[in-house]
Amino acid sequence: MHATKPIGDDVIQRKPDLCLSNEVELQWSNILVVAELTSSHYSPAERAGRMLDMKAWLIFREQPWRRFMLCLSFCKEYRELRVHVYDHLGGIVTQPVDIHQEPDKFRYIMACIVYGTRDCIGFDSTMSINLTRSPSAALWDRNVMNLSQRKKKVSSNKNRSESHVQHEPHSMDPYVEYLKSPASTELPHTDNGSLLLSSSSSDIVIGKMKVNEHEYNLLKVLFSGQGLVGCGTVCYLARRDGEEYIIKDHWVKNSRNGEVDAQEKMDIVMNEVDMLEVMKDVPGVPKLMEFWLVEVMPNQPDDTQLYCQKIHNSTIGMYRTHVHLILRPKAHRLQEFRSRKEHVRTLRDIALIQRCTYEEYRILHRDCSLNNAMIEDIKGGS
């Protein structure tokens, strides 16, 4: 499909030269593969390379569940074809294929893209997402919003419930009891005395995900990371057998600054799992129900190094392994606080949890941010 106008976006407007999509109305959320055309020679710093970098980022932002993103560039009077692969390690580019002198290679590449299975173009075969199920209301709240949208969201949440009142503990024992205490059974009220109603989770299923031998219904995207290089974290609200969970889908760095053996690599990947197990009795720390090193084939975990024919010095220590964590209890995002009072108490609890894990287990979280804290949903409050 040839795009004739920029694709509408809150922040950035870009027009792909060519793209593959199943939809007539193009959005970054439904584009499968994108291509750039230029009559000039290819260079990563020139237009084709820079535009593909930007468009790969835009697609990953709207489709964070993709394992990788395929792009094409046609350069040098549109004769040279290159395949660009973007994942959470970064981007790699193939050697050029002259489509006139090597027509068989050209046909093979295009046939794989157009007629191959969806995992050939970067989709995760262990999950599915249905973008047609009311995406504006039920899919996820965009992390990239303009200021007016943020203000509207805060205003719309102003009349929701707030957490129960407790006094600041002065030692670790009262603190543990404080976090373990149930929410007040009295429904919260606003300043004018009217009842506040807790928000209920959506019953709309937007997708399914396989974790080990279990299948989870995905209800909502709670958080998705931005950018190409990194963990690529996506957190879902999910349900199985009537129980709700948080699924953390992310890419864990599996090496440090050099080559590691298989056992050391596994120890690095399992670090977060091990830490959650150690802190399983700490109030406020999520409980790990199960985990899975996502497999692209039996006994073969999904690893960004699989797609690199050569290990470059710039990528040593940067390879990542695909991991699913199933956590409880269910929660909502930190920025979705329902009152200023709840927001302040949540920040206090985060500091107290950090203090508890350090004093009791000598574990200190190095990345305490919006991306690594949520507000627990408790019946009658938060």
Side-chain angles (χ1 to χ4, degrees), residues 335-367:
Q335 56 266 48
E336 291 178 340
F337 58 89
R338 296 160 180 168
S339 69
R340 283 174 291 185
K341 193 177 294 184
E342 179 185 71
H343 182 50
V344 172
R345 288 170 180 156
T346 301
L347 297 178
R348 175 193 61 185
D349 287 353
I350 293 171
L352 291 173
I353 292 168
Q354 285 275 64
R355 173 182 164 190
C356 180
T357 57
Y358 178 74
E359 292 188 358
E360 295 292 325
Y361 302 98
R362 288 297 185 264
I363 296 174
L364 183 64
H365 201 300
R366 298 182 303 171
D367 184 19

PDB file of all heavy atoms in Angstrom, residues 335-367:
ATOM      1  N   GLN A 335       0.300   6.567  38.116  1.00  0.00           N
ATOM      2  CA  GLN A 335      -0.206   7.864  37.674  1.00  0.00           C
ATOM      3  C   GLN A 335      -1.727   7.916  37.603  1.00  0.00           C
ATOM      4  O   GLN A 335      -2.302   8.961  37.320  1.00  0.00           O
ATOM      5  CB  GLN A 335       0.399   8.264  36.328  1.00  0.00           C
ATOM      6  CG  GLN A 335       0.204   7.271  35.207  1.00  0.00           C
ATOM      7  CD  GLN A 335       1.368   6.329  35.075  1.00  0.00           C
ATOM      8  OE1 GLN A 335       1.818   5.771  36.066  1.00  0.00           O
ATOM      9  NE2 GLN A 335       1.863   6.137  33.854  1.00  0.00           N
ATOM     10  N   GLU A 336      -2.389   6.793  37.885  1.00  0.00           N
ATOM     11  CA  GLU A 336      -3.854   6.764  37.899  1.00  0.00           C
ATOM     12  C   GLU A 336      -4.381   6.862  39.323  1.00  0.00           C
ATOM     13  O   GLU A 336      -5.407   6.276  39.664  1.00  0.00           O
ATOM     14  CB  GLU A 336      -4.358   5.486  37.222  1.00  0.00           C
ATOM     15  CG  GLU A 336      -4.098   5.455  35.731  1.00  0.00           C
ATOM     16  CD  GLU A 336      -4.565   4.166  35.079  1.00  0.00           C
ATOM     17  OE1 GLU A 336      -4.733   3.154  35.801  1.00  0.00           O
ATOM     18  OE2 GLU A 336      -4.763   4.163  33.856  1.00  0.00           O
ATOM     19  N   PHE A 337      -3.672   7.613  40.179  1.00  0.00           N
ATOM     20  CA  PHE A 337      -4.132   7.801  41.548  1.00  0.00           C
ATOM     21  C   PHE A 337      -5.493   8.502  41.542  1.00  0.00           C
ATOM     22  O   PHE A 337      -5.797   9.294  40.650  1.00  0.00           O
ATOM     23  CB  PHE A 337      -3.114   8.612  42.355  1.00  0.00           C
ATOM     24  CG  PHE A 337      -2.799   9.967  41.789  1.00  0.00           C
ATOM     25  CD1 PHE A 337      -3.544  11.075  42.153  1.00  0.00           C
ATOM     26  CD2 PHE A 337      -1.749  10.132  40.893  1.00  0.00           C
ATOM     27  CE1 PHE A 337      -3.253  12.323  41.642  1.00  0.00           C
ATOM     28  CE2 PHE A 337      -1.444  11.377  40.368  1.00  0.00           C
ATOM     29  CZ  PHE A 337      -2.206  12.478  40.740  1.00  0.00           C
ATOM     30  N   ARG A 338      -6.320   8.179  42.541  1.00  0.00           N
ATOM     31  CA  ARG A 338      -7.703   8.641  42.551  1.00  0.00           C
ATOM     32  C   ARG A 338      -7.906   9.900  43.383  1.00  0.00           C
ATOM     33  O   ARG A 338      -9.003  10.466  43.401  1.00  0.00           O
ATOM     34  CB  ARG A 338      -8.605   7.504  43.051  1.00  0.00           C
ATOM     35  CG  ARG A 338      -8.586   6.314  42.102  1.00  0.00           C
ATOM     36  CD  ARG A 338      -9.045   5.052  42.773  1.00  0.00           C
ATOM     37  NE  ARG A 338      -9.026   3.933  41.833  1.00  0.00           N
ATOM     38  CZ  ARG A 338      -9.150   2.661  42.174  1.00  0.00           C
ATOM     39  NH1 ARG A 338      -9.280   2.333  43.437  1.00  0.00           N
ATOM     40  NH2 ARG A 338      -9.132   1.707  41.268  1.00  0.00           N
ATOM     41  N   SER A 339      -6.907  10.300  44.118  1.00  0.00           N
ATOM     42  CA  SER A 339      -6.953  11.561  44.865  1.00  0.00           C
ATOM     43  C   SER A 339      -5.526  11.929  45.223  1.00  0.00           C
ATOM     44  O   SER A 339      -4.620  11.084  45.208  1.00  0.00           O
ATOM     45  CB  SER A 339      -7.794  11.420  46.138  1.00  0.00           C
ATOM     46  OG  SER A 339      -7.131  10.585  47.079  1.00  0.00           O
ATOM     47  N   ARG A 340      -5.313  13.170  45.562  1.00  0.00           N
ATOM     48  CA  ARG A 340      -3.969  13.596  45.963  1.00  0.00           C
ATOM     49  C   ARG A 340      -3.528  12.884  47.240  1.00  0.00           C
ATOM     50  O   ARG A 340      -2.361  12.561  47.416  1.00  0.00           O
ATOM     51  CB  ARG A 340      -3.959  15.110  46.167  1.00  0.00           C
ATOM     52  CG  ARG A 340      -3.930  15.893  44.863  1.00  0.00           C
ATOM     53  CD  ARG A 340      -4.061  17.369  45.086  1.00  0.00           C
ATOM     54  NE  ARG A 340      -5.396  17.720  45.562  1.00  0.00           N
ATOM     55  CZ  ARG A 340      -5.809  18.968  45.755  1.00  0.00           C
ATOM     56  NH1 ARG A 340      -4.988  19.976  45.518  1.00  0.00           N
ATOM     57  NH2 ARG A 340      -7.032  19.209  46.182  1.00  0.00           N
ATOM     58  N   LYS A 341      -4.495  12.634  48.125  1.00  0.00           N
ATOM     59  CA  LYS A 341      -4.170  11.948  49.369  1.00  0.00           C
ATOM     60  C   LYS A 341      -3.673  10.531  49.093  1.00  0.00           C
ATOM     61  O   LYS A 341      -2.685  10.069  49.682  1.00  0.00           O
ATOM     62  CB  LYS A 341      -5.403  11.915  50.270  1.00  0.00           C
ATOM     63  CG  LYS A 341      -5.135  11.505  51.705  1.00  0.00           C
ATOM     64  CD  LYS A 341      -6.402  11.575  52.538  1.00  0.00           C
ATOM     65  CE  LYS A 341      -6.874  13.023  52.662  1.00  0.00           C
ATOM     66  NZ  LYS A 341      -8.069  13.115  53.563  1.00  0.00           N
ATOM     67  N   GLU A 342      -4.365   9.836  48.181  1.00  0.00           N
ATOM     68  CA  GLU A 342      -3.926   8.479  47.828  1.00  0.00           C
ATOM     69  C   GLU A 342      -2.537   8.507  47.183  1.00  0.00           C
ATOM     70  O   GLU A 342      -1.699   7.640  47.446  1.00  0.00           O
ATOM     71  CB  GLU A 342      -4.916   7.830  46.869  1.00  0.00           C
ATOM     72  CG  GLU A 342      -4.504   6.414  46.453  1.00  0.00           C
ATOM     73  CD  GLU A 342      -5.431   5.817  45.409  1.00  0.00           C
ATOM     74  OE1 GLU A 342      -5.400   6.282  44.257  1.00  0.00           O
ATOM     75  OE2 GLU A 342      -6.174   4.889  45.756  1.00  0.00           O
ATOM     76  N   HIS A 343      -2.300   9.520  46.360  1.00  0.00           N
ATOM     77  CA  HIS A 343      -1.010   9.642  45.682  1.00  0.00           C
ATOM     78  C   HIS A 343       0.127   9.783  46.691  1.00  0.00           C
ATOM     79  O   HIS A 343       1.152   9.094  46.601  1.00  0.00           O
ATOM     80  CB  HIS A 343      -1.056  10.853  44.751  1.00  0.00           C
ATOM     81  CG  HIS A 343       0.204  11.057  43.958  1.00  0.00           C
ATOM     82  ND1 HIS A 343       0.805  10.047  43.239  1.00  0.00           N
ATOM     83  CD2 HIS A 343       0.980  12.158  43.775  1.00  0.00           C
ATOM     84  CE1 HIS A 343       1.886  10.518  42.644  1.00  0.00           C
ATOM     85  NE2 HIS A 343       2.022  11.779  42.956  1.00  0.00           N
ATOM     86  N   VAL A 344      -0.058  10.675  47.684  1.00  0.00           N
ATOM     87  CA  VAL A 344       0.978  10.896  48.695  1.00  0.00           C
ATOM     88  C   VAL A 344       1.215   9.629  49.511  1.00  0.00           C
ATOM     89  O   VAL A 344       2.356   9.245  49.781  1.00  0.00           O
ATOM     90  CB  VAL A 344       0.594  12.080  49.604  1.00  0.00           C
ATOM     91  CG1 VAL A 344       1.557  12.189  50.782  1.00  0.00           C
ATOM     92  CG2 VAL A 344       0.585  13.378  48.808  1.00  0.00           C
ATOM     93  N   ARG A 345       0.146   8.944  49.893  1.00  0.00           N
ATOM     94  CA  ARG A 345       0.292   7.728  50.693  1.00  0.00           C
ATOM     95  C   ARG A 345       0.963   6.616  49.890  1.00  0.00           C
ATOM     96  O   ARG A 345       1.711   5.796  50.449  1.00  0.00           O
ATOM     97  CB  ARG A 345      -1.073   7.279  51.193  1.00  0.00           C
ATOM     98  CG  ARG A 345      -1.601   8.202  52.275  1.00  0.00           C
ATOM     99  CD  ARG A 345      -3.037   7.912  52.615  1.00  0.00           C
ATOM    100  NE  ARG A 345      -3.499   8.828  53.650  1.00  0.00           N
ATOM    101  CZ  ARG A 345      -4.768   9.139  53.849  1.00  0.00           C
ATOM    102  NH1 ARG A 345      -5.701   8.609  53.093  1.00  0.00           N
ATOM    103  NH2 ARG A 345      -5.104   9.983  54.808  1.00  0.00           N
ATOM    104  N   THR A 346       0.686   6.582  48.595  1.00  0.00           N
ATOM    105  CA  THR A 346       1.343   5.579  47.758  1.00  0.00           C
ATOM    106  C   THR A 346       2.841   5.818  47.700  1.00  0.00           C
ATOM    107  O   THR A 346       3.648   4.879  47.818  1.00  0.00           O
ATOM    108  CB  THR A 346       0.754   5.603  46.335  1.00  0.00           C
ATOM    109  OG1 THR A 346      -0.651   5.338  46.393  1.00  0.00           O
ATOM    110  CG2 THR A 346       1.428   4.573  45.451  1.00  0.00           C
ATOM    111  N   LEU A 347       3.256   7.077  47.547  1.00  0.00           N
ATOM    112  CA  LEU A 347       4.682   7.397  47.531  1.00  0.00           C
ATOM    113  C   LEU A 347       5.328   7.047  48.867  1.00  0.00           C
ATOM    114  O   LEU A 347       6.468   6.563  48.912  1.00  0.00           O
ATOM    115  CB  LEU A 347       4.881   8.874  47.196  1.00  0.00           C
ATOM    116  CG  LEU A 347       4.405   9.327  45.807  1.00  0.00           C
ATOM    117  CD1 LEU A 347       4.611  10.825  45.638  1.00  0.00           C
ATOM    118  CD2 LEU A 347       5.132   8.565  44.705  1.00  0.00           C
ATOM    119  N   ARG A 348       4.607   7.284  49.946  1.00  0.00           N
ATOM    120  CA  ARG A 348       5.128   6.919  51.268  1.00  0.00           C
ATOM    121  C   ARG A 348       5.321   5.406  51.361  1.00  0.00           C
ATOM    122  O   ARG A 348       6.354   4.926  51.848  1.00  0.00           O
ATOM    123  CB  ARG A 348       4.166   7.389  52.356  1.00  0.00           C
ATOM    124  CG  ARG A 348       4.570   6.933  53.754  1.00  0.00           C
ATOM    125  CD  ARG A 348       3.460   7.141  54.755  1.00  0.00           C
ATOM    126  NE  ARG A 348       2.276   6.376  54.399  1.00  0.00           N
ATOM    127  CZ  ARG A 348       1.119   6.463  55.070  1.00  0.00           C
ATOM    128  NH1 ARG A 348       1.008   7.278  56.094  1.00  0.00           N
ATOM    129  NH2 ARG A 348       0.090   5.733  54.702  1.00  0.00           N
ATOM    130  N   ASP A 349       4.335   4.651  50.884  1.00  0.00           N
ATOM    131  CA  ASP A 349       4.435   3.193  50.952  1.00  0.00           C
ATOM    132  C   ASP A 349       5.623   2.681  50.151  1.00  0.00           C
ATOM    133  O   ASP A 349       6.295   1.727  50.553  1.00  0.00           O
ATOM    134  CB  ASP A 349       3.148   2.551  50.437  1.00  0.00           C
ATOM    135  CG  ASP A 349       1.988   2.709  51.423  1.00  0.00           C
ATOM    136  OD1 ASP A 349       2.233   3.187  52.541  1.00  0.00           O
ATOM    137  OD2 ASP A 349       0.853   2.370  51.049  1.00  0.00           O
ATOM    138  N   ILE A 350       5.889   3.304  49.002  1.00  0.00           N
ATOM    139  CA  ILE A 350       7.027   2.886  48.184  1.00  0.00           C
ATOM    140  C   ILE A 350       8.323   3.046  48.971  1.00  0.00           C
ATOM    141  O   ILE A 350       9.185   2.159  48.985  1.00  0.00           O
ATOM    142  CB  ILE A 350       7.072   3.690  46.868  1.00  0.00           C
ATOM    143  CG1 ILE A 350       5.874   3.324  45.985  1.00  0.00           C
ATOM    144  CG2 ILE A 350       8.385   3.443  46.123  1.00  0.00           C
ATOM    145  CD1 ILE A 350       5.726   4.219  44.771  1.00  0.00           C
ATOM    146  N   ALA A 351       8.457   4.199  49.642  1.00  0.00           N
ATOM    147  CA  ALA A 351       9.666   4.437  50.438  1.00  0.00           C
ATOM    148  C   ALA A 351       9.780   3.418  51.577  1.00  0.00           C
ATOM    149  O   ALA A 351      10.872   2.905  51.870  1.00  0.00           O
ATOM    150  CB  ALA A 351       9.656   5.860  50.979  1.00  0.00           C
ATOM    151  N   LEU A 352       8.654   3.095  52.209  1.00  0.00           N
ATOM    152  CA  LEU A 352       8.679   2.144  53.316  1.00  0.00           C
ATOM    153  C   LEU A 352       9.000   0.727  52.840  1.00  0.00           C
ATOM    154  O   LEU A 352       9.699  -0.024  53.532  1.00  0.00           O
ATOM    155  CB  LEU A 352       7.340   2.169  54.044  1.00  0.00           C
ATOM    156  CG  LEU A 352       7.037   3.461  54.827  1.00  0.00           C
ATOM    157  CD1 LEU A 352       5.617   3.437  55.350  1.00  0.00           C
ATOM    158  CD2 LEU A 352       8.045   3.661  55.952  1.00  0.00           C
ATOM    159  N   ILE A 353       8.487   0.367  51.668  1.00  0.00           N
ATOM    160  CA  ILE A 353       8.798  -0.954  51.119  1.00  0.00           C
ATOM    161  C   ILE A 353      10.290  -1.048  50.791  1.00  0.00           C
ATOM    162  O   ILE A 353      10.948  -2.060  51.064  1.00  0.00           O
ATOM    163  CB  ILE A 353       7.942  -1.239  49.872  1.00  0.00           C
ATOM    164  CG1 ILE A 353       6.466  -1.386  50.267  1.00  0.00           C
ATOM    165  CG2 ILE A 353       8.408  -2.506  49.157  1.00  0.00           C
ATOM    166  CD1 ILE A 353       5.513  -1.378  49.092  1.00  0.00           C
ATOM    167  N   GLN A 354      10.840   0.012  50.206  1.00  0.00           N
ATOM    168  CA  GLN A 354      12.278   0.044  49.937  1.00  0.00           C
ATOM    169  C   GLN A 354      13.067  -0.130  51.233  1.00  0.00           C
ATOM    170  O   GLN A 354      14.045  -0.889  51.293  1.00  0.00           O
ATOM    171  CB  GLN A 354      12.654   1.379  49.277  1.00  0.00           C
ATOM    172  CG  GLN A 354      12.249   1.504  47.826  1.00  0.00           C
ATOM    173  CD  GLN A 354      13.285   0.889  46.905  1.00  0.00           C
ATOM    174  OE1 GLN A 354      13.533  -0.313  46.939  1.00  0.00           O
ATOM    175  NE2 GLN A 354      13.906   1.698  46.073  1.00  0.00           N
ATOM    176  N   ARG A 355      12.632   0.565  52.252  1.00  0.00           N
ATOM    177  CA  ARG A 355      13.323   0.483  53.553  1.00  0.00           C
ATOM    178  C   ARG A 355      13.243  -0.935  54.117  1.00  0.00           C
ATOM    179  O   ARG A 355      14.228  -1.475  54.625  1.00  0.00           O
ATOM    180  CB  ARG A 355      12.690   1.484  54.504  1.00  0.00           C
ATOM    181  CG  ARG A 355      13.173   1.416  55.936  1.00  0.00           C
ATOM    182  CD  ARG A 355      12.413   2.424  56.760  1.00  0.00           C
ATOM    183  NE  ARG A 355      12.550   2.176  58.196  1.00  0.00           N
ATOM    184  CZ  ARG A 355      11.829   2.809  59.122  1.00  0.00           C
ATOM    185  NH1 ARG A 355      10.934   3.697  58.741  1.00  0.00           N
ATOM    186  NH2 ARG A 355      12.009   2.553  60.407  1.00  0.00           N
ATOM    187  N   CYS A 356      12.064  -1.536  54.009  1.00  0.00           N
ATOM    188  CA  CYS A 356      11.874  -2.886  54.554  1.00  0.00           C
ATOM    189  C   CYS A 356      12.744  -3.907  53.826  1.00  0.00           C
ATOM    190  O   CYS A 356      13.414  -4.726  54.454  1.00  0.00           O
ATOM    191  CB  CYS A 356      10.411  -3.278  54.456  1.00  0.00           C
ATOM    192  SG  CYS A 356      10.032  -4.927  55.082  1.00  0.00           S
ATOM    193  N   THR A 357      12.737  -3.874  52.501  1.00  0.00           N
ATOM    194  CA  THR A 357      13.514  -4.861  51.742  1.00  0.00           C
ATOM    195  C   THR A 357      15.007  -4.693  51.977  1.00  0.00           C
ATOM    196  O   THR A 357      15.753  -5.681  52.002  1.00  0.00           O
ATOM    197  CB  THR A 357      13.218  -4.751  50.238  1.00  0.00           C
ATOM    198  OG1 THR A 357      13.488  -3.411  49.784  1.00  0.00           O
ATOM    199  CG2 THR A 357      11.770  -5.093  49.942  1.00  0.00           C
ATOM    200  N   TYR A 358      15.451  -3.439  52.209  1.00  0.00           N
ATOM    201  CA  TYR A 358      16.878  -3.237  52.459  1.00  0.00           C
ATOM    202  C   TYR A 358      17.257  -3.703  53.865  1.00  0.00           C
ATOM    203  O   TYR A 358      18.259  -4.407  54.047  1.00  0.00           O
ATOM    204  CB  TYR A 358      17.256  -1.773  52.271  1.00  0.00           C
ATOM    205  CG  TYR A 358      18.717  -1.521  52.568  1.00  0.00           C
ATOM    206  CD1 TYR A 358      19.704  -1.935  51.677  1.00  0.00           C
ATOM    207  CD2 TYR A 358      19.099  -0.910  53.752  1.00  0.00           C
ATOM    208  CE1 TYR A 358      21.045  -1.741  51.963  1.00  0.00           C
ATOM    209  CE2 TYR A 358      20.442  -0.708  54.047  1.00  0.00           C
ATOM    210  CZ  TYR A 358      21.408  -1.128  53.149  1.00  0.00           C
ATOM    211  OH  TYR A 358      22.729  -0.937  53.435  1.00  0.00           O
ATOM    212  N   GLU A 359      16.460  -3.327  54.858  1.00  0.00           N
ATOM    213  CA  GLU A 359      16.821  -3.669  56.236  1.00  0.00           C
ATOM    214  C   GLU A 359      16.663  -5.158  56.517  1.00  0.00           C
ATOM    215  O   GLU A 359      17.428  -5.734  57.289  1.00  0.00           O
ATOM    216  CB  GLU A 359      15.972  -2.849  57.208  1.00  0.00           C
ATOM    217  CG  GLU A 359      16.291  -1.362  57.175  1.00  0.00           C
ATOM    218  CD  GLU A 359      15.574  -0.602  58.272  1.00  0.00           C
ATOM    219  OE1 GLU A 359      14.805  -1.227  59.036  1.00  0.00           O
ATOM    220  OE2 GLU A 359      15.789   0.626  58.368  1.00  0.00           O
ATOM    221  N   GLU A 360      15.679  -5.789  55.898  1.00  0.00           N
ATOM    222  CA  GLU A 360      15.436  -7.203  56.168  1.00  0.00           C
ATOM    223  C   GLU A 360      16.248  -8.134  55.272  1.00  0.00           C
ATOM    224  O   GLU A 360      16.682  -9.206  55.688  1.00  0.00           O
ATOM    225  CB  GLU A 360      13.939  -7.505  55.990  1.00  0.00           C
ATOM    226  CG  GLU A 360      13.034  -6.794  56.983  1.00  0.00           C
ATOM    227  CD  GLU A 360      13.222  -7.315  58.392  1.00  0.00           C
ATOM    228  OE1 GLU A 360      13.467  -8.533  58.546  1.00  0.00           O
ATOM    229  OE2 GLU A 360      13.126  -6.511  59.346  1.00  0.00           O
ATOM    230  N   TYR A 361      16.448  -7.748  53.994  1.00  0.00           N
ATOM    231  CA  TYR A 361      17.068  -8.667  53.031  1.00  0.00           C
ATOM    232  C   TYR A 361      18.286  -8.090  52.314  1.00  0.00           C
ATOM    233  O   TYR A 361      18.878  -8.766  51.475  1.00  0.00           O
ATOM    234  CB  TYR A 361      16.032  -9.082  51.975  1.00  0.00           C
ATOM    235  CG  TYR A 361      14.818  -9.747  52.565  1.00  0.00           C
ATOM    236  CD1 TYR A 361      13.646  -9.024  52.790  1.00  0.00           C
ATOM    237  CD2 TYR A 361      14.836 -11.096  52.912  1.00  0.00           C
ATOM    238  CE1 TYR A 361      12.523  -9.630  53.336  1.00  0.00           C
ATOM    239  CE2 TYR A 361      13.725 -11.707  53.464  1.00  0.00           C
ATOM    240  CZ  TYR A 361      12.572 -10.970  53.670  1.00  0.00           C
ATOM    241  OH  TYR A 361      11.464 -11.573  54.215  1.00  0.00           O
ATOM    242  N   ARG A 362      18.635  -6.840  52.638  1.00  0.00           N
ATOM    243  CA  ARG A 362      19.759  -6.162  51.987  1.00  0.00           C
ATOM    244  C   ARG A 362      19.562  -6.114  50.454  1.00  0.00           C
ATOM    245  O   ARG A 362      20.491  -6.293  49.674  1.00  0.00           O
ATOM    246  CB  ARG A 362      21.088  -6.847  52.325  1.00  0.00           C
ATOM    247  CG  ARG A 362      21.539  -6.612  53.749  1.00  0.00           C
ATOM    248  CD  ARG A 362      21.806  -5.112  53.968  1.00  0.00           C
ATOM    249  NE  ARG A 362      22.357  -4.814  55.276  1.00  0.00           N
ATOM    250  CZ  ARG A 362      21.649  -4.428  56.338  1.00  0.00           C
ATOM    251  NH1 ARG A 362      20.336  -4.342  56.241  1.00  0.00           N
ATOM    252  NH2 ARG A 362      22.226  -4.134  57.472  1.00  0.00           N
ATOM    253  N   ILE A 363      18.340  -5.868  50.050  1.00  0.00           N
ATOM    254  CA  ILE A 363      17.997  -5.719  48.632  1.00  0.00           C
ATOM    255  C   ILE A 363      17.486  -4.302  48.422  1.00  0.00           C
ATOM    256  O   ILE A 363      16.555  -3.867  49.103  1.00  0.00           O
ATOM    257  CB  ILE A 363      16.922  -6.736  48.191  1.00  0.00           C
ATOM    258  CG1 ILE A 363      17.460  -8.157  48.314  1.00  0.00           C
ATOM    259  CG2 ILE A 363      16.470  -6.460  46.762  1.00  0.00           C
ATOM    260  CD1 ILE A 363      16.420  -9.225  48.032  1.00  0.00           C
ATOM    261  N   LEU A 364      18.084  -3.584  47.479  1.00  0.00           N
ATOM    262  CA  LEU A 364      17.674  -2.212  47.184  1.00  0.00           C
ATOM    263  C   LEU A 364      17.358  -2.105  45.696  1.00  0.00           C
ATOM    264  O   LEU A 364      18.205  -2.395  44.851  1.00  0.00           O
ATOM    265  CB  LEU A 364      18.779  -1.221  47.554  1.00  0.00           C
ATOM    266  CG  LEU A 364      18.449   0.274  47.370  1.00  0.00           C
ATOM    267  CD1 LEU A 364      17.314   0.677  48.308  1.00  0.00           C
ATOM    268  CD2 LEU A 364      19.681   1.138  47.626  1.00  0.00           C
ATOM    269  N   HIS A 365      16.120  -1.711  45.383  1.00  0.00           N
ATOM    270  CA  HIS A 365      15.707  -1.569  43.985  1.00  0.00           C
ATOM    271  C   HIS A 365      16.411  -0.359  43.380  1.00  0.00           C
ATOM    272  O   HIS A 365      16.344   0.745  43.913  1.00  0.00           O
ATOM    273  CB  HIS A 365      14.187  -1.397  43.913  1.00  0.00           C
ATOM    274  CG  HIS A 365      13.603  -1.740  42.574  1.00  0.00           C
ATOM    275  ND1 HIS A 365      13.960  -1.093  41.416  1.00  0.00           N
ATOM    276  CD2 HIS A 365      12.700  -2.692  42.219  1.00  0.00           C
ATOM    277  CE1 HIS A 365      13.281  -1.610  40.401  1.00  0.00           C
ATOM    278  NE2 HIS A 365      12.516  -2.583  40.858  1.00  0.00           N
ATOM    279  N   ARG A 366      17.076  -0.570  42.241  1.00  0.00           N
ATOM    280  CA  ARG A 366      17.871   0.504  41.639  1.00  0.00           C
ATOM    281  C   ARG A 366      17.059   1.396  40.712  1.00  0.00           C
ATOM    282  O   ARG A 366      17.538   2.432  40.276  1.00  0.00           O
ATOM    283  CB  ARG A 366      19.034  -0.100  40.848  1.00  0.00           C
ATOM    284  CG  ARG A 366      20.005  -0.898  41.683  1.00  0.00           C
ATOM    285  CD  ARG A 366      21.137  -1.424  40.826  1.00  0.00           C
ATOM    286  NE  ARG A 366      20.643  -2.229  39.721  1.00  0.00           N
ATOM    287  CZ  ARG A 366      21.390  -2.670  38.714  1.00  0.00           C
ATOM    288  NH1 ARG A 366      22.675  -2.359  38.675  1.00  0.00           N
ATOM    289  NH2 ARG A 366      20.874  -3.407  37.757  1.00  0.00           N
ATOM    290  N   ASP A 367      15.828   1.007  40.376  1.00  0.00           N
ATOM    291  CA  ASP A 367      15.045   1.762  39.401  1.00  0.00           C
ATOM    292  C   ASP A 367      13.641   1.989  39.955  1.00  0.00           C
ATOM    293  O   ASP A 367      12.658   1.467  39.450  1.00  0.00           O
ATOM    294  CB  ASP A 367      14.983   1.008  38.066  1.00  0.00           C
ATOM    295  CG  ASP A 367      14.263   1.806  36.988  1.00  0.00           C
ATOM    296  OD1 ASP A 367      14.138   3.036  37.149  1.00  0.00           O
ATOM    297  OD2 ASP A 367      13.812   1.201  36.002  1.00  0.00           O
TER     298      ASP A 367
END
